[in-house]
Amino acid sequence: MSDIAVAELPPVAPAAPAPPAATPPPPKNPLLDDGILRTLLRLSWPNVVALTAGTCVAVAETSYIGRLGTEALAAMALVFPFVILTMTMSGGAMGGGVASAIARALGSGDDDRAAVLAMHALLIGLCFGLVFTVGMLTFGERALALLGGRGAVLSQAAGYVHIFFAGAVVPWLMNTFAAILRGTGNMKLPSLMILSSAVLQIVLGGALGLGFGPIPRFGMPGVAAGTLTAFSIGASVMAWVIFSGRAGVKPRLDGFRIERGMFIDILKVGAVSCFSPLQSVLTITIFTHMLAHFGTAVLAGYGIGGRLEFMLTSIAFAVGIASVPMIGMAIGAGRVKRARQIAWTAGLVSFLFVGVVGTGIAIFPHLWIDLFTDDAAVRLAGEQYLRAAAPMYAFIGLSISMYFSAQGAARVLGPVLAQTGRLLFVVGGGWLLIKNHGSAGSFYLLAAGSMVLLGVTSALSVLVTRWGPKPPAASIAG
């Protein structure tokens, strides 16, 4: 058989491996990627609605307390600093620390850490609430007397304190639950709960304070009881949402272990921040004590003006607390430039809004004063205070916004020291006015000047403070 020549075929090349599937881009985070002003306003408006309701509470509460008499109004002016201290410490100071820590954890992509932080936050809130209860039930009446409370005014103020601070754990836990939600960027649910609590507070506080139908007239203790009941309902709803896993961050009880680092992450912002409302309330307390020497009418008029300050600066609070998760997530993601842009945008919005409304009320103070009293002496004192101080509320709004921005960046010492400067300014200026027999009007100007000082120094502190991680130490070549 003859050989048959077979042509060699070229070797078949192996098939090229298929290119790897493209990794899908990470989901877009609106707090990190959307426009700053638009996102800030979107997060702020639920807070504005809720805190506007809180303002309605302040107006309604002052109105029906006014029906209890001028002494009750003066008693509320004495109690107000302690109530505000509780709410600002739990909601703005420690609450800001909680929201900042959770937002930074989420910004870095560590969801498990955020859940553990939430559980530690609740422990902190519980402990601080108990401290307030023990402190105020033991020393509250003595503190009210030191502020100038006497006779029926002191008695009514003490009645409020004994009820409200017996349940001080309630506002602390309520504001801690709200802070956990806000740290995730959820502003709507906490705001809805504040709104609902505000409605209940007006109804229950008014009914228990003044009496309604079969309900007897309990006076100031009834007003306090209505407030606590409303807060308890709001806290319960937020607790259910968080522990049911519907909030994006779920604190876990099973296998929970206390970790020192988690406390530090919250307290390095929250504990330092607490000195800001503490100093703010100390400033108000000292100022109230100084004004008490001018009589009940001046004290009541200042208390009415102080309610307006609380109302307007609540708007700055709404904008500021919205900036915390935005800045915290930006810092966690390493986007420091965006974090600073958020801070200055929030500061400008707060300054302009509070300033415009405050100036309008300064021009027409009767629009506010007439809501609360017909007493000629009280009206005169309130109008004098508002004409001097209300335009300067803009600087209080700026300082609040800077304070929350610094919380989001975990660099809060500067705004706290700004409050120290204001405190020293009021103490020193008040001492000089007392020494020189200054009038009530001169004290009002002192208050206005202290607001300007606080706003300017808070903004400067944010401007000069470095944000983001510290740069690594430079190595020295051998």
Side-chain angles (χ1 to χ4, degrees), residues 161 305 341 427 441 478:
V161 163
Q341 291 173 338
V427 171

Side-chain angles (χ1 to χ4, degrees), residues 252-461:
R252 286 189 288 270
L253 296 173
D254 53 310
F256 173 72
R257 188 177 74 254
I258 292 177
E259 298 181 37
R260 180 171 172 267
M262 298 294 171
F263 283 129
I264 290 175
D265 199 8
I266 295 171
L267 294 175
K268 72 180 181 182
V269 176
V272 176
S273 295
C274 281
F275 285 98
S276 183
L278 183 63
Q279 292 179 111
S280 177
V281 169
L282 184 57
T283 302
I284 294 171
T285 301
I286 291 172
F287 193 74
T288 301
H289 177 69
M290 292 174 180
L291 285 183
H293 292 88
F294 292 97
T296 301
V298 168
L299 189 61
Y302 167 67
I304 291 172
R307 284 297 175 112
L308 176 66
E309 179 182 339
F310 172 68
M311 180 194 82
L312 292 182
T313 53
S314 293
I315 304 301
F317 180 98
V319 175
I321 201 67
S323 74
V324 172
M326 292 179 67
I327 292 174
M329 289 189 185
I331 292 292
R335 299 173 62 179
V336 177
K337 182 178 178 181
R338 177 178 172 87
R340 285 200 172 274
Q341 291 173 338
I342 295 167
W344 296 120
T345 302
L348 182 61
V349 170
S350 298
F351 181 85
L352 290 177
F353 183 88
V354 177
V356 168
V357 179
T359 300
I361 294 295
I363 297 172
F364 305 105
H366 63 276
L367 295 177
W368 179 256
I369 302 294
D370 290 353
L371 294 173
F372 308 109
T373 183
D374 294 325
D375 187 294
V378 174
R379 290 178 61 184
L380 178 61
E383 289 177 2
Q384 287 178 339
Y385 175 75
L386 289 176
R387 286 195 177 100
M392 302 302 112
Y393 290 166
F395 291 92
I396 297 288
L398 176 62
S399 72
I400 290 172
S401 185
M402 293 295 99
Y403 167 72
F404 280 115
S405 295
Q407 283 186 331
R411 296 288 190 274
V412 80
L413 182 60
V416 171
L417 292 178
Q419 280 285 4
T420 305
R422 184 195 185 193
L423 172 61
L424 295 175
F425 180 82
V426 168
V427 171
W431 178 78
L432 287 174
L433 288 176
I434 292 172
K435 185 178 179 181
N436 292 284
H437 307 289
S439 64
S442 61
F443 278 91
Y444 299 157
L445 292 174
L446 174 69
S450 74
M451 296 173 191
V452 176
L453 176 67
L454 176 61
V456 171
T457 53
S458 295
L460 287 175
S461 73

Side-chain angles (χ1 to χ4, degrees), residues 97-121:
V98 170
S100 172
I102 290 175
R104 282 181 278 113
L106 293 175
S108 65
D110 196 341
D111 293 359
D112 290 337
R113 179 180 179 83
V116 177
L117 282 166
M119 197 64 218
H120 284 74

Side-chain angles (χ1 to χ4, degrees), residues 137-225:
L137 293 185
T138 305
F139 303 108
E141 191 165 350
R142 194 176 308 171
L144 294 170
L146 288 174
L147 287 181
R150 299 288 183 273
V153 172
L154 177 59
S155 176
Q156 293 194 51
Y160 187 100
V161 163
H162 290 157
I163 298 298
F164 183 84
F165 286 98
V169 166
V170 172
W172 270 92
L173 288 179
M174 180 189 73
N175 282 326
T176 302
F177 285 127
I180 292 170
L181 291 167
R182 286 171 175 147
T184 69
N186 183 348
M187 300 289 163
K188 291 183 179 179
L189 181 58
S191 298
L192 178 61
M193 289 301 99
I194 292 174
L195 179 62
S196 303
S197 297
V199 173
L200 285 173
Q201 190 178 346
I202 292 173
V203 174
L204 296 175
L208 294 172
L210 298 175
F212 181 76
I215 301 174
R217 181 181 178 125
F218 290 106
M220 294 291 281
V223 175

